[in-house]
């Protein structure tokens, strides 16, 4: 596995903390803080699109 540079955790009000990371090959990662070994990965563009869609409310039905 490539070396991943993880950002500081982002924590919501209910203490759900997530971390975003990137590697030298241009891949992006998202994981629950403390469980980075179970991260999902895709291109930076794909994960950025997912985050924008979530922020736009397109995943609200999952709540």
């Amino acid at each position: 596995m490539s070396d991943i540079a993880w950002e500081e955790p982002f924590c919501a009000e209910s203490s759900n903390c997530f971390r975003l990371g990137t590697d030298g090959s241009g891949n992006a990662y998202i994981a629950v803080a403390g469980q980075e070994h179970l991260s999902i990965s895709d291109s930076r563009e794909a994960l950025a699109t997912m985050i924008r869609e979530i922020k736009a409310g397109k995943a609200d039905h999952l709540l």
Side-chain angles (χ1 to χ4, degrees):
M1 178 181 269
S2 301
D3 289 329
I4 301 170
W6 292 102
E7 302 277 334
E8 290 297 315
F10 170 78
C11 299
E13 293 175 13
S14 62
S15 299
N16 294 319
C17 299
F18 296 90
R19 294 187 80 184
L20 301 174
T22 56
D23 66 16
S25 299
N27 298 310
Y29 300 81
I30 188 170
V32 172
Q35 298 182 26
E36 289 81 359
H37 64 286
L38 299 173
S39 64
I40 60 169
S41 66
D42 207 326
S43 68
R44 289 179 64 164
E45 182 179 329
L47 287 182
T49 299
M50 179 183 74
I51 291 168
R52 280 192 296 273
E53 297 295 320
I54 290 170
K55 288 175 73 175
K58 293 190 178 181
D60 287 355
H61 65 283
L62 299 174
L63 305 174

